[in-house]
Amino acid sequence: MAKDWRISTFNGVLLACYFIPSWTISAMKIWVSPIRGFYDRSNIAAAMYVSDFMTLPAMGTIRVAWLLALSKVIVAAFFFVFLLLVIRAAIRNKGGADEALAFALGVGAFISMACLIAASKVGELAALRLHASEALLLIGAAILLIIDTDPAVEHKTEAEAVESVAPHHGLSSSPNS
């Protein structure tokens, strides 16, 4: 099943296996207890940045926490959609799952980079390492998705190029003509 996958598809599956449970659990902690979940290790950089640099009341902090949880669930959902599309053999061969993977990588990288910047502003080294590694995973996968080409499409374009180079004299291709 996985022998005809492109490297970007395989990489996306590995990333989905990490980000779906990790970010869903992180979001669920915020949904169960917004303030306590917001100050959890996986969200501490954003929480400290919001509390240090924004003067928000408690309800404003809860809203920011919910927004972070919602965005993490959206990224996890798009990784899940990507996994569903990859499983289907007909779409997998056509590269139809690339859009879901690209959306998950783009939004996830944006969230990780924002948390990385927040961690650097507040001086939280453990969160800085976590968000830096997540951001590098997502950005690296996005670059791989951009440069990785589908071997079937590449072979098809090479065959079309060979056909266009061959001279066509207006004669029938049949040997009997």
Side-chain angles (χ1 to χ4, degrees), residues 95-110:
D98 290 348
E99 292 85 12
L101 178 61
F103 186 84
L105 292 174
V107 174
F110 177 77

Side-chain angles (χ1 to χ4, degrees), residues 22-118:
S22 173
W23 281 21
T24 304
I25 290 169
S26 173
M28 292 304 287
K29 287 180 182 179
I30 291 174
W31 285 345
V32 169
S33 175
I35 297 296
R36 186 177 203 168
F38 197 38
Y39 283 93
D40 187 53
R41 182 175 181 212
S42 60
N43 303 317
I44 191 70
M48 289 179 68
Y49 184 82
V50 166
S51 67
D52 287 354
F53 293 103
M54 301 173 133
T55 54
L56 294 175
M59 197 60 201
T61 305
I62 289 172
R63 287 183 180 129
V64 170
W66 284 339
L67 183 63
L68 179 65
L70 178 65
S71 57
K72 283 188 171 192
V73 165
I74 288 171
V75 170
F78 271 94
F79 271 121
F80 186 70
V81 167
F82 165 73
L83 282 180
L84 289 177
L85 293 174
V86 163
I87 291 171
R88 294 184 58 203
I91 294 179
R92 180 186 70 221
N93 293 336
K94 296 178 185 173
D98 290 348
E99 292 85 12
L101 178 61
F103 186 84
L105 292 174
V107 174
F110 177 77
I111 293 169
S112 290
M113 287 300 294
C115 290
L116 175 70
I117 293 168

